[in-house]
Amino acid sequence: MSRLLPSSSKIGPILNTALDYLYPPACHHCATSTSNGRYLCATCFDQAALIEAPFCQQCGEMYDGNISNTFLCPNCHSRQFSFDFARAALRNTNENHQLIIDLKYLKQFYLAGELARYCANTISTDSRFSRLPSPVLIPVPLHWRRSWQRGFNQAEEISRALSKLTSIPYKKCLKRTRHTQTQTKLDRKHRLHNLQGAFQIRSIPKHFRSAILIDDVFTTGSTAEACSSTLRKHAPQLENIVVLTALRG
């Protein structure tokens, strides 16, 4: 039985608990019974294709082959980024991509917790995260119109669950002020142009010194760049800005 309401809803947690009692949760992939609020069984969770070394130290794209040294991929060599580095938890396989689709468009809200677990594993295994001073999780915002149409923001759902798993606070520090066309069919150049001036700062408490931008998918990095650029300009107290997504597009 899938959860019907996002965790941000006031009545969502109560209804979800009642539904879990009446209809015990099962694995999203294989339908095996699960427990402790899990919606992927241990086998299916562990079999997911993860981003593992070797990968680009800037954009996180994974490469096959015997590469023992840290490296930048050809796409990142000649580019300047506003974020320090980007990491994704999952490779872009059909099964992993379906998790994003089911959360984002089919409103399978419970999958945010499972995607957050993959992100938490990435934080724990990539030592660069542990070196970030006073971090805060910042979900990439949706424009109010798209949020109203969709009913939730998947980046917020993942951020909220990830905060509980890692004890890193999360705060909605950015807002999207301009409604833009979907990025799906645009190349990187047009994506960046599409997002110009689309984000503004809400507020960032001075004690946060590192920002971890959270989103569902990293494809060309244009959304991450637009958000990071805004943070660089208007939050000078941030020493580090990094990106963490569930999936590498």
Side-chain angles (χ1 to χ4, degrees):
M1 180 70 178
S2 65
R3 293 188 174 184
L4 301 179
L5 293 173
S7 57
S8 56
S9 168
K10 292 182 179 179
I11 65 172
I14 298 174
L15 180 57
N16 290 332
T17 300
L19 289 173
D20 286 350
Y21 178 78
L22 295 172
Y23 304 94
C27 177
H28 186 74
H29 288 324
C30 71
T32 299
S33 295
T34 58
S35 59
N36 298 321
R38 297 299 303 274
Y39 290 88
L40 288 177
C41 69
T43 299
C44 289
F45 185 88
D46 293 341
Q47 286 179 347
L50 305 177
I51 297 287
E52 297 176 321
F55 53 80
C56 173
Q57 293 294 294
Q58 181 66 49
C59 72
E61 183 174 2
M62 183 173 167
Y63 280 78
D64 294 323
N66 185 17
I67 305 175
S68 57
N69 298 324
T70 59
F71 68 96
L72 294 181
C73 71
N75 290 329
C76 292
H77 263 297
S78 59
R79 291 178 178 168
Q80 296 293 321
F81 297 90
S82 297
F83 54 85
D84 299 310
F85 67 86
R87 275 298 315 269
L90 298 169
R91 300 182 70 172
N92 192 14
T93 63
N94 289 337
E95 195 167 59
N96 288 341
H97 187 258
Q98 192 61 47
L99 290 175
I100 301 295
I101 296 298
D102 291 347
L103 167 64
K104 196 170 180 177
Y105 300 112
L106 299 184
K107 303 185 188 307
Q108 305 296 307
F109 302 117
Y110 58 89
L111 290 176
E114 298 299 335
L115 294 172
R117 290 181 186 276
Y118 288 117
C119 290
N121 287 346
T122 300
I123 288 176
S124 67
T125 56
D126 191 325
S127 61
R128 292 177 295 178
F129 286 98
S130 66
R131 295 195 291 267
L132 297 175
S134 303
V136 59
L137 305 174
I138 302 178
V140 170
L142 292 178
H143 188 265
W144 69 264
R145 188 183 305 172
R146 183 158 295 163
S147 181
W148 179 79
Q149 291 171 340
R150 188 170 294 168
F152 73 110
N153 178 358
Q154 67 280 356
E156 286 183 22
E157 295 298 313
I158 294 171
S159 296
R160 187 177 292 106
L162 182 58
S163 180
K164 293 178 181 178
L165 291 169
T166 62
S167 297
I168 301 173
Y170 103 95
K171 184 174 177 62
K172 293 186 285 186
C173 298
L174 291 170
K175 61 180 177 179
R176 196 161 187 154
T177 58
R178 187 164 59 82
H179 186 60
T180 57
Q181 70 180 103
T182 181
Q183 300 271 89
T184 306
K185 296 183 179 180
L186 301 178
D187 60 21
R188 186 177 189 275
K189 178 181 178 180
H190 289 93
R191 287 184 182 213
L192 286 170
H193 179 75
N194 187 43
L195 291 171
Q196 285 183 356
F199 300 100
Q200 289 184 5
I201 291 283
R202 288 180 182 271
S203 65
I204 302 181
K206 296 295 184 181
H207 64 275
F208 291 129
R209 294 163 55 198
S210 300
I212 305 177
L213 278 170
I214 304 295
D215 208 357
D216 54 343
V217 181
F218 184 105
T219 306
T220 66
S222 54
T223 300
E225 176 61 26
C227 290
S228 299
S229 178
T230 300
L231 290 171
R232 288 287 184 204
K233 291 177 182 177
H234 302 289
Q237 77 270 25
L238 292 176
E239 300 174 21
N240 306 96
I241 300 173
V242 305
V243 182
L244 177 60
T245 62
L247 185 75
R248 186 60 165 83

